[in-house]
Amino acid sequence: MRAVVQRVSHASVTIKGIERSRTGQGFLILLGICDEDTMEDVDWLVKKIANLRVFDDDNHVMNRSILDIDGEALVVSQFTLYASYKKGNRPSWFRAGSHEHSIPLYEAFCSQLSEAISKPVGTGEFGADMKVELLNDGPVTICMDTINKE
C-alpha cells in the first residue's frame, strides 16, 4: 500500500463537474493499493498517518499530528502510484490492485482513518476521473509504502 500524504490548508475533489468532497487544514492522501496488500497494511498505515507529526507547534517546529490540530482528511484512490516505468515511456499498471481486492481495502482505510481522527473523512470515487485541487501547506509531502514498515 502506498500513500502520498500532503499537508494542506484545504483540498477538494470534483467528479463530472460536481464537488464530491472538501477538507480544510489537514491531509490530502493519495492512496495506491496492490494485490499483496492486507488489512495489516491498512492498520499500520492509518496509525502512522494519524500520528504523523508534521504540523507546527507554537515554536514553528513540526511536532503536532492531525489529531493535535483537530485536522481533516481527504483520501483519493490513486492506482498510478503503482506505475511501472522501466520499459519504454508508457507506464504499465500491472502492479496496481484489482478493483475486487482494492475497493474493500480503500473503504476500510477511509473508515479506520475516520475513526482514528474522530471525524468523517472526505473521499473521491474509486476508479472515477477526478479533479483534485489543493493548497499544499509548506510544502510538506511524505511518501509512505507499507513494504517499508521497519
Side-chain angles (χ1 to χ4, degrees):
M1 191 167 283
R2 292 183 176 159
V4 176
V5 180
Q6 298 176 85
R7 185 178 78 179
V8 297
S9 296
H10 61 82
S12 65
V13 62
T14 301
I15 304 167
K16 296 181 181 176
I18 299 169
E19 187 175 87
R20 163 91 181 224
S21 295
R22 172 171 290 281
T23 188
Q25 183 183 25
F27 288 142
L28 168 65
I29 302 164
L30 305 176
L31 185 68
I33 299 168
C34 72
D35 283 331
E36 290 79 32
D37 290 328
T38 66
M39 283 302 297
E40 180 182 315
D41 296 301
V42 170
D43 297 341
W44 182 87
L45 195 56
V46 165
K47 287 176 188 160
K48 189 58 86 171
I49 290 172
N51 293 289
L52 187 63
R53 295 178 3 198
V54 295
F55 296 93
D56 290 351
D57 63 16
D58 294 337
N59 296 317
H60 305 288
V61 175
M62 286 194 283
N63 201 27
R64 299 176 77 201
S65 71
I66 193 170
L67 298 167
D68 297 325
I69 67 154
D70 195 31
E72 300 176 344
L74 173 58
V75 181
V76 176
S77 62
Q78 181 96 33
F79 76 93
T80 60
L81 292 177
Y82 277 99
S84 176
Y85 44 83
K86 289 186 179 185
K87 289 184 178 180
N89 294 315
R90 183 170 184 229
S92 167
W93 318 115
F94 72 92
R95 296 243 12 254
S98 67
H99 276 79
E100 296 77 25
H101 180 76
S102 300
I103 290 173
L105 290 177
Y106 171 76
E107 291 173 350
F109 178 87
C110 294
S111 176
Q112 284 191 28
L113 184 61
S114 176
E115 224 175 270
I117 67 172
S118 299
K119 60 178 59 179
V121 167
T123 63
E125 180 180 318
F126 198 92
D129 180 20
M130 297 174 273
K131 308 301 179 206
V132 179
E133 292 186 36
L134 69 138
L135 180 58
N136 193 318
D137 180 16
V140 174
T141 302
I142 310 278
C143 298
M144 297 179 162
D145 194 319
T146 58
I147 202 161
N148 300 316
K149 290 180 193 157
E150 303 294 315

